[in-house]
Amino acid sequence: MADRALRGMQIGAKSMESEDGVVFAERYTVRYECPNGHEFEVPLSTEAAPPANWECRCGAKGELIGEAPEDEEAKPAKPVRTHWDMLCERRSLEELEVVLNEQLTLFREGRLRPEGHYRKG
């Protein structure tokens, strides 16, 4: 039985690959600080913009120390469009009053259910 045992490396052992001839990407280090007072560094590629937040080991979100990312400052903030804003872009208030009254009439006559399903009839 002992002569049949496989010999070699252990499972999970070190890789057989070497780093010879491998060119690593240019990197720089970004520092973050979490609300619990932990400071940590994250290496990033020089082509990557650092995010404003990075999760700390304790689970809290760490804030970027130093300058804010340039991309986020350059983007103009879009105003939030609500459902009502989009509705008002398509119809005038007078048209909306007409549609509302039609739907209320159908609802009161029992031809429109509160769930929004129409009855056959």
Side-chain angles (χ1 to χ4, degrees):
M1 189 79 153
D3 58 334
R4 290 183 164 188
L6 295 175
R7 293 186 181 173
M9 298 182 65
Q10 298 174 346
I11 295 176
K14 294 181 181 177
S15 172
M16 297 296 287
E17 289 187 34
S18 68
E19 295 178 357
D20 296 338
V22 177
V23 179
F24 293 104
E26 295 289 323
R27 296 176 186 203
Y28 68 102
T29 304
V30 180
R31 295 184 55 80
Y32 290 90
E33 182 177 13
C34 82
N36 298 330
H38 302 128
E39 285 192 19
F40 55 97
E41 296 180 346
V42 177
L44 295 175
S45 169
T46 55
E47 299 173 0
N53 298 319
W54 196 279
E55 187 174 342
C56 179
R57 289 185 180 180
C58 67
K61 284 192 174 184
E63 296 289 325
L64 180 65
I65 298 174
E67 294 184 15
E70 296 174 11
D71 294 354
E72 290 184 14
E73 289 179 7
K75 293 180 184 176
K78 283 183 164 181
V80 178
R81 284 181 27 185
T82 63
H83 179 72
W84 178 251
D85 294 333
M86 291 184 273
L87 191 61
C88 288
E89 290 174 6
R90 294 191 306 265
R91 297 180 188 248
S92 66
L93 291 178
E94 293 80 21
E95 291 173 324
L96 291 172
E97 284 288 332
V98 171
V99 171
L100 176 63
N101 289 330
E102 288 174 359
Q103 293 297 309
L104 287 174
T105 303
L106 289 172
F107 179 71
R108 290 179 183 130
E109 291 174 356
R111 294 191 293 165
L112 181 67
R113 293 185 191 171
E115 301 90 31
H117 302 286
Y118 290 92
R119 292 182 184 168
K120 293 182 181 179

